[in-house]
Short mmCIF file of all heavy atoms in Angstrom, two decimals:
data_model
loop_
_atom_site.label_atom_id
_atom_site.label_comp_id
_atom_site.label_asym_id
_atom_site.label_seq_id
_atom_site.Cartn_x
_atom_site.Cartn_y
_atom_site.Cartn_z
N THR O 97 0.15 -3.56 1.58
CA THR O 97 -1.02 -3.20 0.76
C THR O 97 -2.18 -4.13 1.14
O THR O 97 -3.26 -3.61 1.23
CB THR O 97 -0.64 -3.31 -0.75
OG1 THR O 97 0.38 -2.44 -1.07
CG2 THR O 97 -1.91 -3.05 -1.64
N GLU O 98 -1.91 -5.37 1.21
CA GLU O 98 -2.98 -6.30 1.60
C GLU O 98 -3.58 -6.02 2.92
O GLU O 98 -4.75 -6.10 3.12
CB GLU O 98 -2.40 -7.75 1.58
CG GLU O 98 -2.10 -8.29 0.17
CD GLU O 98 -1.47 -9.61 0.31
OE1 GLU O 98 -1.29 -10.22 1.44
OE2 GLU O 98 -1.07 -10.20 -0.82
N ALA O 99 -2.72 -5.53 3.83
CA ALA O 99 -3.24 -5.20 5.21
C ALA O 99 -4.10 -3.98 5.21
O ALA O 99 -4.94 -3.85 6.07
CB ALA O 99 -1.96 -5.09 6.17
N GLY O 100 -3.74 -2.95 4.34
CA GLY O 100 -4.48 -1.72 4.36
C GLY O 100 -3.70 -0.51 4.54
O GLY O 100 -4.31 0.57 4.72
N VAL O 101 -2.41 -0.50 4.50
CA VAL O 101 -1.61 0.68 4.72
C VAL O 101 -1.95 1.64 3.57
O VAL O 101 -2.11 1.22 2.41
CB VAL O 101 -0.09 0.32 4.63
CG1 VAL O 101 0.78 1.58 4.59
CG2 VAL O 101 0.25 -0.48 5.90
N ASP O 102 -2.08 2.96 3.90
CA ASP O 102 -2.52 3.90 2.94
C ASP O 102 -1.47 4.65 2.12
O ASP O 102 -1.55 4.96 0.90
CB ASP O 102 -3.26 5.02 3.67
CG ASP O 102 -4.46 4.41 4.42
OD1 ASP O 102 -5.44 3.95 3.79
OD2 ASP O 102 -4.38 4.37 5.69
N VAL O 103 -0.23 4.81 2.75
CA VAL O 103 0.87 5.48 2.10
C VAL O 103 2.12 4.78 2.48
O VAL O 103 2.41 4.42 3.62
CB VAL O 103 1.01 6.98 2.45
CG1 VAL O 103 2.18 7.61 1.76
CG2 VAL O 103 -0.31 7.70 2.24
N ILE O 104 2.95 4.41 1.45
CA ILE O 104 4.22 3.73 1.61
C ILE O 104 5.38 4.67 1.13
O ILE O 104 5.32 5.13 0.00
CB ILE O 104 4.23 2.44 0.92
CG1 ILE O 104 3.16 1.48 1.41
CG2 ILE O 104 5.66 1.66 1.16
CD1 ILE O 104 2.94 0.24 0.63
N VAL O 105 6.26 4.95 2.02
CA VAL O 105 7.37 5.92 1.67
C VAL O 105 8.67 5.18 1.65
O VAL O 105 9.21 4.75 2.78
CB VAL O 105 7.44 7.00 2.75
CG1 VAL O 105 8.48 8.09 2.34
CG2 VAL O 105 6.06 7.72 2.84
N PRO O 106 9.34 5.07 0.51
CA PRO O 106 10.69 4.44 0.52
C PRO O 106 11.69 5.37 1.15
O PRO O 106 11.68 6.61 0.84
CB PRO O 106 10.94 4.28 -1.05
CG PRO O 106 9.62 4.51 -1.71
CD PRO O 106 8.81 5.34 -0.84
N TRP O 107 12.51 4.83 1.95
CA TRP O 107 13.49 5.67 2.69
C TRP O 107 14.89 5.06 2.55
O TRP O 107 15.12 3.99 2.88
CB TRP O 107 13.04 5.75 4.09
CG TRP O 107 14.05 6.33 5.11
CD1 TRP O 107 14.76 7.52 4.85
CD2 TRP O 107 14.35 5.99 6.39
NE1 TRP O 107 15.58 7.80 5.93
CE2 TRP O 107 15.33 6.88 6.88
CE3 TRP O 107 13.94 4.92 7.20
CZ2 TRP O 107 15.94 6.78 8.11
CZ3 TRP O 107 14.57 4.69 8.44
CH2 TRP O 107 15.53 5.65 8.92
N ALA O 108 15.78 5.92 2.02
CA ALA O 108 17.19 5.58 1.97
C ALA O 108 17.91 5.80 3.32
O ALA O 108 18.45 6.87 3.48
CB ALA O 108 17.83 6.42 0.86
N ALA O 109 17.73 4.89 4.16
CA ALA O 109 18.27 5.05 5.56
C ALA O 109 19.81 4.91 5.56
O ALA O 109 20.40 4.39 4.59
CB ALA O 109 17.69 4.06 6.46
N ALA O 110 20.44 5.35 6.58
CA ALA O 110 21.96 5.34 6.67
C ALA O 110 22.40 3.87 6.56
O ALA O 110 23.46 3.62 6.05
CB ALA O 110 22.35 5.98 7.95
N ARG O 111 21.69 2.91 7.12
CA ARG O 111 22.15 1.58 7.18
C ARG O 111 21.51 0.69 6.08
O ARG O 111 21.65 -0.52 6.12
CB ARG O 111 21.81 0.99 8.52
CG ARG O 111 22.65 1.63 9.64
CD ARG O 111 22.19 0.99 11.02
NE ARG O 111 23.05 1.60 12.11
CZ ARG O 111 22.89 1.36 13.44
NH1 ARG O 111 21.79 0.65 13.72
NH2 ARG O 111 23.65 1.95 14.25
N SER O 112 20.84 1.33 5.12
CA SER O 112 20.26 0.59 3.96
C SER O 112 21.36 0.06 3.10
O SER O 112 22.22 0.88 2.60
CB SER O 112 19.34 1.43 3.15
OG SER O 112 18.14 1.72 3.83
N ILE O 113 21.43 -1.26 2.90
CA ILE O 113 22.39 -1.83 2.02
C ILE O 113 22.12 -1.43 0.56
O ILE O 113 22.97 -1.09 -0.27
CB ILE O 113 22.46 -3.34 2.19
CG1 ILE O 113 22.85 -3.74 3.61
CG2 ILE O 113 23.38 -3.94 1.09
CD1 ILE O 113 22.77 -5.20 3.91
N THR O 114 20.80 -1.48 0.25
CA THR O 114 20.34 -1.09 -1.08
C THR O 114 20.18 0.48 -1.09
O THR O 114 19.67 1.05 -0.20
CB THR O 114 19.01 -1.68 -1.45
OG1 THR O 114 19.13 -3.17 -1.47
CG2 THR O 114 18.42 -1.19 -2.67
N GLN O 115 20.73 1.10 -2.12
CA GLN O 115 20.48 2.53 -2.32
C GLN O 115 20.03 2.76 -3.75
O GLN O 115 20.60 2.23 -4.70
CB GLN O 115 21.83 3.24 -2.10
CG GLN O 115 22.38 3.14 -0.63
CD GLN O 115 21.61 4.06 0.29
OE1 GLN O 115 20.97 4.98 -0.14
NE2 GLN O 115 21.71 3.66 1.57
N TRP O 116 18.90 3.50 -3.79
CA TRP O 116 18.41 3.86 -5.16
C TRP O 116 19.06 5.09 -5.65
O TRP O 116 18.82 6.21 -5.16
CB TRP O 116 16.95 4.12 -5.05
CG TRP O 116 16.14 2.86 -4.87
CD1 TRP O 116 16.48 1.59 -4.76
CD2 TRP O 116 14.60 2.77 -4.66
NE1 TRP O 116 15.42 0.67 -4.52
CE2 TRP O 116 14.35 1.48 -4.51
CE3 TRP O 116 13.65 3.78 -4.57
CZ2 TRP O 116 13.01 0.98 -4.24
CZ3 TRP O 116 12.35 3.33 -4.42
CH2 TRP O 116 12.08 1.98 -4.23
N LYS O 117 19.92 4.95 -6.70
CA LYS O 117 20.61 6.13 -7.25
C LYS O 117 20.57 5.97 -8.78
O LYS O 117 20.56 4.89 -9.36
CB LYS O 117 22.03 6.14 -6.80
CG LYS O 117 22.28 6.42 -5.27
CD LYS O 117 23.70 6.46 -4.88
CE LYS O 117 23.80 6.75 -3.39
NZ LYS O 117 25.27 6.73 -2.90
N GLY O 118 20.51 7.09 -9.42
CA GLY O 118 20.49 7.16 -10.90
C GLY O 118 19.25 6.40 -11.50
O GLY O 118 18.11 6.58 -11.06
N ASP O 119 19.53 5.36 -12.41
CA ASP O 119 18.46 4.63 -13.01
C ASP O 119 17.69 3.75 -12.02
O ASP O 119 16.56 3.34 -12.28
CB ASP O 119 18.99 3.76 -14.17
CG ASP O 119 19.55 4.53 -15.23
OD1 ASP O 119 19.17 5.79 -15.34
OD2 ASP O 119 20.33 4.06 -16.11
N LYS O 120 18.35 3.47 -10.88
CA LYS O 120 17.73 2.53 -9.92
C LYS O 120 16.46 3.22 -9.28
O LYS O 120 15.63 2.46 -8.79
CB LYS O 120 18.73 2.16 -8.81
CG LYS O 120 19.78 1.20 -9.26
CD LYS O 120 20.69 0.73 -8.20
CE LYS O 120 21.68 -0.28 -8.61
NZ LYS O 120 22.54 -0.74 -7.52
N VAL O 121 16.39 4.51 -9.20
CA VAL O 121 15.26 5.24 -8.66
C VAL O 121 13.98 4.86 -9.37
O VAL O 121 13.04 4.38 -8.82
CB VAL O 121 15.52 6.78 -8.56
CG1 VAL O 121 14.20 7.40 -8.07
CG2 VAL O 121 16.69 7.13 -7.72
N ALA O 122 14.01 5.12 -10.65
CA ALA O 122 12.81 4.84 -11.52
C ALA O 122 12.45 3.34 -11.50
O ALA O 122 11.30 2.95 -11.44
CB ALA O 122 13.07 5.29 -12.91
N LYS O 123 13.49 2.51 -11.58
CA LYS O 123 13.29 1.06 -11.53
C LYS O 123 12.71 0.56 -10.32
O LYS O 123 11.71 -0.14 -10.26
CB LYS O 123 14.62 0.31 -11.86
CG LYS O 123 14.46 -1.14 -11.93
CD LYS O 123 15.79 -1.82 -12.29
CE LYS O 123 15.69 -3.28 -12.48
NZ LYS O 123 17.02 -3.94 -12.76
#
Side-chain angles (χ1 to χ4, degrees):
T97 298
E98 291 176 359
V101 171
D102 302 292
V103 182
I104 300 170
V105 182
W107 171 41
R111 293 176 178 171
S112 288
I113 298 172
T114 296
Q115 295 288 335
W116 289 357
K117 295 180 180 179
D119 294 342
K120 289 185 177 181
V121 176
K123 184 177 179 181

